[in-house]
Amino acid sequence: MNSCYRSRTNSYSQLATSRALAGFFGSRSWCHPRGNSGKRGGLGNKPGRDARCNTSRAEHSSRKKQKVAVVGAGAAGLVCCRELRDEGHNVSVFEQAPVVGGTWVLDKAMKSLEDDGEDVHSSMYDSLRTNLPREVMSFSDFPFTPETLGGRSVDSRRYPSHHEVLVYLESFADAFDLRPMIRFRTRINEIQRLHDSNEWSVSFQRNGEPKGAAMERFDAVVVCNGHYAKPQIPPLEGSEEFPGMQLHSHTYRHPRLLAGKVVVVFGISASGQDIARDIASVCETVYLSGRSAEFLKGPGAIGSDGNVVKRSAIRKLGKNGEVWFQNGEFLDRADAIMYCTGYEHFLPFLSESGLISTEGNRVSPLYKHIFEPQAAPSLAFIGLPKFIIPFPLFEYQSKLVARVLSGRCQLPSKEDMELDIENFYKALEEEGRHPSTTHNMRMEQFSYFDWLQAQCGPDVPVFPKWRSDMFEASSRVKKSHPERYRDVFDDEISLAEAKREFSMIVERSPIAAKGA
């Protein structure tokens, strides 16, 4: 581990020195100028192989101004739009919905797998609350507080509802005047690289127009369309003959249709556990089914009503509603199966480009989860990492993309990026990790934050330690109080640090002070 990096905890240190992460960040690193003074430096490869930034005044006037297409106006697309605009680029954001917010916009349609779910773009459901404190979710210069949102705030709780998150994103778009750059009700059909000019052809259609009705050329494309659009349904034996309802968490909205039923929720991630508890209030019994041996330990029934029962993974379904589980247990009747089994990366507009693959549910090949080496820096992705603090990570990625496109930061050569990717994927394989876990980070995200900050340069602040502390505290509280962790968070130290930082932001930022 680089001596200029200040580790947080022993468990994090162990994660950060894993072979896969070492491969991701490289075997050698250079220190940010602040690194030796006790602040966290960035992790990366040797100086000739990382993005390096020039922040002198002389280079400011010589920055390249690119015409950039951004796909999506959710959280990632909005902050990317701002960073690109502030770096001097000409930005157009393509958003198929009539509003900003992406997945945080509630679509009230609730559909089963038999219904046509192609037009469902949101994964929100009525009772959803964030699983992270609002303070840690904030963008760096726009506090996610009721005070900043002013009269628009609808939920002041530390773990607010999805309605409050949408208000925050709408307020962010308004505060930084982003809406004029967004083309609403516009769907991207195809993105192709024009090899004769090194530009990109973007084919799109507005509502009511035929497919391919419009085309425009851009110098670069940044994909910010998220990864919660195409549900991943495991191929279960007997699923076609199962007589009950089958639906995915993507189209779940409320428990009313499941009242009085016996439901098997397949998947024990955050959505699986939250939805199981949500429907338990109206269901006869909920069986929460998963593969994790650790999950199966402890009490067999959970939930405030005690009617959420743990089971191993589903093995097969029967034509009379039977369910067989992997450990040999059997359920003679289930009325519904709720799949909380994640999503597939879905990039139909890039399928003909020949540059990007989603095989194994991994977007590849990408340097540091962002740049496609052959087309870099003109094709970039924001927001692919999972199990992270999303909004700040989108922001730091966007800062780097904006600076690389302007020429303020330089990427390694194509060959060095490809070698970095090859080593990273090889390390994952040696650790026995499936390609679908490539973008999973969890605690490793903080080394990634440090790396992004170091590449951007000294004018980008280091990722505050209170945020990582709050993230870890939130995880601890969730583990110790799974039923009510959202209402008992009490890490007063990180909360005090957050309040102190937000006060300073409001004092020096007219935009944050004005809020919405």
Side-chain angles (χ1 to χ4, degrees):
M1 178 65 69
N2 183 357
S3 61
C4 76
Y5 181 73
R6 179 166 57 112
S7 64
R8 296 172 175 77
T9 66
N10 290 335
S11 60
Y12 173 42
S13 179
Q14 292 166 3
L15 281 168
T17 55
S18 70
R19 287 180 297 164
L21 191 59
F24 178 76
F25 289 116
S27 58
R28 298 180 61 187
S29 58
W30 62 279
C31 291
H32 183 276
R34 297 179 183 177
N36 292 327
S37 64
K39 300 268 188 175
R40 295 198 310 274
L43 291 175
N45 295 323
K46 57 187 179 182
R49 294 180 58 191
D50 265 343
R52 302 301 299 272
C53 281
N54 184 344
T55 57
S56 67
R57 292 187 177 182
E59 61 76 37
H60 186 83
S61 61
S62 63
R63 295 179 194 171
K64 291 184 288 186
K65 293 176 172 47
Q66 308 258 30
K67 182 181 179 183
V68 186
V70 174
V71 183
L78 291 174
V79 73
C80 183
C81 174
R82 185 192 69 172
E83 296 300 327
L84 289 167
R85 188 268 315 273
D86 290 355
E87 189 70 9
H89 300 297
N90 179 9
V91 188
S92 293
V93 181
F94 293 85
E95 172 53 55
Q96 61 186 355
V99 294
V100 301
T103 195
W104 293 97
V105 178
L106 176 64
D107 181 338
K108 294 188 177 181
M110 182 166 171
K111 300 181 178 182
S112 69
L113 298 184
E114 290 76 23
D115 298 323
D116 179 11
E118 189 173 324
D119 294 325
V120 178
H121 305 296
S122 170
S123 298
M124 291 298 106
Y125 51 90
D126 286 347
S127 65
L128 184 140
R129 292 172 64 184
T130 64
N131 58 9
L132 288 174
R134 63 191 304 149
E135 291 87 355
V136 79
M137 291 178 65
S138 301
F139 292 120
S140 68
D141 54 359
F142 196 71
F144 186 9
T145 63
E147 293 74 23
T148 301
L149 300 182
R152 298 174 73 170
S153 176
V154 296
D155 186 352
S156 62
R157 291 176 294 181
R158 174 143 290 117
Y159 290 76
S161 71
H162 59 87
H163 299 290
E164 181 83 343
V165 180
L166 181 58
V167 167
Y168 176 68
L169 294 176
E170 291 172 338
S171 300
F172 180 82
D174 293 336
F176 292 96
D177 196 25
L178 304 180
R179 294 182 191 270
M181 291 174 280
I182 304 173
R183 306 185 193 186
F184 292 106
R185 302 179 186 273
T186 305
R187 180 192 296 266
I188 298 284
N189 294 320
E190 187 176 29
I191 297 174
Q192 285 277 11
R193 190 182 186 191
L194 302 174
H195 295 281
D196 58 334
S197 63
N198 208 32
E199 293 179 316
W200 294 86
S201 167
V202 177
S203 172
F204 57 93
Q205 65 183 111
R206 304 174 187 87
N207 272 15
E209 293 182 343
K211 186 175 181 178
M215 189 277 288
E216 192 170 339
R217 290 190 172 196
F218 290 87
D219 299 313
V221 173
V222 186
V223 180
C224 305
N225 70 330
H227 40 74
Y228 299 110
K230 186 177 181 181
Q232 181 171 266
I233 310 295
L236 288 179
E237 180 183 347
S239 61
E240 293 183 1
E241 298 179 336
F242 182 77
M245 179 186 296
Q246 297 184 67
L247 64 162
H248 191 277
S249 59
H250 178 59
T251 56
Y252 171 73
R253 297 295 176 260
H254 52 76
R256 293 189 294 275
L257 290 179
L258 301 172
K261 298 184 183 297
V262 174
V263 181
V264 179
V265 176
F266 189 18
I268 58 172
S269 63
S271 62
Q273 296 192 41
D274 284 349
I275 290 175
R277 291 182 171 95
D278 192 39
I279 65 177
S281 61
V282 301
C283 288
E284 178 183 323
T285 308
V286 177
Y287 292 92
L288 183 55
S289 166
R291 294 185 174 89
S292 169
E294 182 178 354
F295 162 75
L296 294 172
K297 294 177 182 178
I302 59 176
S304 56
D305 297 323
N307 63 333
V308 179
V309 182
K310 295 180 181 180
R311 286 290 183 266
S312 62
I314 298 175
R315 182 167 62 86
K316 69 175 183 177
L317 304 176
K319 63 181 180 180
N320 296 314
E322 308 97 330
V323 181
W324 287 265
F325 298 95
Q326 293 286 0
N327 66 354
E329 291 181 309
F330 170 75
L331 178 63
D332 61 0
R333 177 186 65 85
D335 301 304
I337 307 295
M338 172 79 71
Y339 295 94
C340 297
T341 46
Y343 296 82
E344 298 179 21
H345 289 290
F346 191 51
L347 303 167
F349 45 83
L350 282 172
S351 60
E352 301 299 320
S353 69
L355 294 171
I356 293 295
S357 167
T358 57
E359 184 178 356
N361 210 21
R362 168 170 69 192
V363 181
S364 64
L366 292 183
Y367 175 69
K368 310 304 189 193
H369 302 279
I370 301 175
F371 298 102
E372 196 289 320
Q374 289 190 52
S378 67
L379 178 60
F381 293 78
I382 302 296
L384 289 178
K386 301 175 183 178
F387 307 111
I388 44 88
I389 306 172
F391 297 177
L393 189 134
F394 301 163
E395 180 181 358
Y396 277 56
Q397 286 183 319
S398 298
K399 288 179 184 296
L400 180 59
V401 169
R403 290 159 186 243
V404 170
L405 287 174
S406 72
R408 187 145 62 120
C409 292
Q410 299 296 319
L411 288 174
S413 68
K414 178 175 78 73
E415 292 74 20
D416 281 344
M417 286 191 286
E418 289 175 338
L419 179 60
D420 186 279
I421 296 168
E422 179 183 346
N423 290 337
F424 178 42
Y425 292 173
K426 183 178 179 181
L428 292 175
E429 183 179 355
E430 290 175 350
E431 291 189 351
R433 289 175 57 176
H434 190 273
S436 63
T437 69
T438 297
H439 306 297
N440 295 359
M441 286 194 175
R442 293 184 172 85
M443 297 306 295
E444 293 140 338
Q445 67 180 297
F446 301 116
S447 290
Y448 187 56
F449 270 114
D450 290 332
W451 181 85
L452 289 167
Q453 182 273 328
Q455 309 314 302
C456 287
D459 60 323
V460 173
V462 295
F463 190 68
K465 188 175 181 298
W466 70 260
R467 291 193 185 239
S468 57
D469 289 344
M470 186 176 288
F471 179 87
E472 293 182 51
S474 175
S475 298
R476 289 195 302 270
V477 174
K478 183 176 182 180
K479 189 172 182 178
S480 60
H481 298 84
E483 307 295 337
R484 54 192 185 93
Y485 71 93
R486 292 179 172 91
D487 299 310
V488 298
F489 184 82
D490 60 355
D491 184 5
E492 296 300 332
I493 296 177
S494 62
L495 288 173
E497 288 296 318
K499 185 176 181 179
R500 185 178 300 112
E501 180 179 300
F502 290 168
S503 296
M504 294 173 60
I505 291 172
V506 171
E507 286 178 7
R508 66 173 182 257
S509 171
I511 292 178
K514 182 180 178 182

